[in-house]
Amino acid sequence: FYYQVLADDSFIQGFFQARASHHHHHQHAGGLLEHSHEVAKTAAMLAMQHQLDPKTVAIAFLGGLLHDAGKLYLYYNQPAGEGVCEQHEALTFMCLQPQLNHLRQHAPRLFEALCGCLTQSDHHAASYLPETIVRMADRLSAEVCNWRRAFANTPSFYWYWKSIDNQRIYKRLGS
């Protein structure tokens, strides 16, 4: 599965250049790769830290790496007028359809667990543990990015800062 995704040149090229969001975390070119890599590493690390089996670690990593792949089709990652303004989760399944079909035919449980990671809906309860792990890692990556952006260019003695992006107050413990 992983090698099939990597072999898709148009997918990989877009993935390396895309932004993770339009006005939120990792909103710069290459931000989708940066965010997805952070989520994948964190998810795999959490699974290993809790001594979960190798398949669970692998699905946590792949789920983290690909959970936002559908963002490639959103308006802010496409030439003017060619992208859509919609939830990215369904688009993720569309862009990974050939690889997911192959996985479904050869490893149905791995397919099911990975699909849970790609769905990322807060409206359904997680069935497989990697789903929960990927959700946690995704939220952490976004929060760290927002926190760092809030304190960028701020003197180190400032222990709180109100973000102009989202009007949220961020605090830090200091040096």
Side-chain angles (χ1 to χ4, degrees):
F1 174 82
Y2 187 66
Y3 292 120
Q4 288 178 337
V5 172
L6 289 175
D8 186 341
D9 289 337
S10 63
F11 172 79
I12 292 298
Q13 188 173 32
F15 195 75
F16 275 57
Q17 298 169 352
R19 297 184 290 167
S21 67
H22 185 54
H23 289 300
H24 303 291
H25 67 91
H26 300 87
Q27 60 188 345
H28 55 278
L32 180 59
L33 175 64
E34 181 183 328
H35 168 66
S36 298
H37 186 244
E38 287 174 4
V39 174
K41 285 189 325 183
T42 302
M45 180 202 61
L46 286 169
M48 287 187 288
Q49 177 68 30
H50 289 279
Q51 301 171 357
L52 301 176
D53 64 277
K55 285 183 183 178
T56 300
V57 174
I59 291 298
F61 181 82
L62 286 173
L65 190 62
L66 299 171
H67 76 285
D68 280 343
K71 290 184 175 184
L72 293 172
Y73 295 118
L74 296 181
Y75 66 96
Y76 54 83
N77 283 319
Q78 294 290 317
E82 294 181 22
V84 295
C85 184
E86 190 52 60
Q87 296 296 317
H88 69 278
E89 288 85 359
L91 299 172
T92 295
F93 287 93
M94 188 176 84
C95 88
L96 296 172
Q97 188 264 334
Q99 296 91 347
L100 287 170
N101 263 347
H102 187 264
L103 185 63
R104 180 184 54 80
Q105 291 170 358
H106 294 89
R109 282 191 304 195
L110 297 179
F111 165 80
E112 189 178 38
L114 182 59
C115 286
C117 295
L118 301 179
T119 302
Q120 288 293 302
S121 171
D122 290 331
H123 302 295
H124 97 216
S127 300
Y128 288 96
L129 194 51
E131 296 174 53
T132 300
I133 294 170
V134 169
R135 286 180 193 166
M136 291 168 50
D138 183 33
R139 191 70 240 140
L140 180 61
S141 174
E143 285 295 321
V144 168
C145 180
N146 289 337
W147 185 88
R148 284 186 176 141
R149 192 172 44 193
F151 286 106
N153 304 316
T154 304
S156 61
F157 59 86
Y158 280 47
W159 64 276
Y160 72 93
W161 190 257
K162 186 173 184 177
S163 170
I164 58 172
D165 292 330
N166 60 13
Q167 300 301 303
R168 183 171 157 194
I169 294 177
Y170 290 91
K171 297 179 181 179
R172 62 182 168 189
L173 296 173
S175 324

